[in-house]
Amino acid sequence: MRKNIVAGNWKMNKNLQEGIELAKELNEALKNKTVNCDVVIGTPFIHLASVVNSVDTNKIGVSAQNCADKESGAYTGEVSAAMVASTGAKYVILGHSERRAYYRETPETLKEKVKLALANGLTPIFCIGEVLEERESGKHFDVVKSQIEASLFDLSPADFGKIVLAYEPVWAIGTGKTATAGQAQEMHAFIRKTLVEKYGKEIADNTSILYGGSANAGNAKELFSNPDVDGGLIGGASLGVDKFMPIIEAF
Ligand code: PEP
């Protein structure tokens, strides 16, 4: 059966020392606790190796927030999926709306990134979601479906089975405006139906679909109580253990 996952996305926050400290604090908070979800933290690249060495990786999975769309070579400034994996990180967030919008990531480059992540044993947390205008004009289902189709639907069933999806309505990210539990469930159920049609019920039922967009301690329980919401991708509220732990404990 699919896993519940609460994943933090630190974005471009915390210097190395602050990041190690936050990771250690979270590790301490989880030490003698049994929680009902997998916990992941998505750190900047330069933090990965140190954070892996600062936490119990049986309790906290470490994630990058991106990787290159090329295997290796003359791509100055890029970080490959193999490099990410060599730090001990197990996940990589791909297709975040900030990367699609600000760094012009396309469905085609994302397709390459997903393949390289999988080839290097990383679990992609693949983000999809519509902008406000698309929702207001009733195009949100089509937009999300085409994002999934364009970057993921050439994967074999076995490879698709390794993907985690994160539905993140762009209008809800960092805005304090959360999708209602009903809006989240409606879209997650639609996504799962789309997966059933392509890969069949078993793979669709086993795919974790996270919600992201201003999730916090106050709304996590209601969001996670939906049958098709299998956890959260958490930005702002993952930057402090006091805010992140209650979300983990919402399961
Ligand atoms: C995110 O960055 O993926 C996110 C959901 O951010 P926030 O929780 O701050 O809206």
Side-chain angles (χ1 to χ4, degrees), residues 9 11 96 98 168 172-175 212-215 233-237:
N9 175 13
K11 312 195 188 196
H96 193 282
E98 288 154 16
E168 299 207 303
I173 298 178
T175 58
S214 299
L233 182 55
I234 316 294

Side-chain angles (χ1 to χ4, degrees), residues 65-94:
Q65 301 170 14
N66 181 28
C67 70
D69 63 335
K70 303 286 192 301
E71 207 169 316
S72 66
Y75 301 102
T76 302
E78 287 294 287
V79 176
S80 71
M83 291 171 187
V84 170
S86 74
T87 67
K90 298 287 183 218
Y91 296 81
V92 57
I93 298 167
L94 291 174

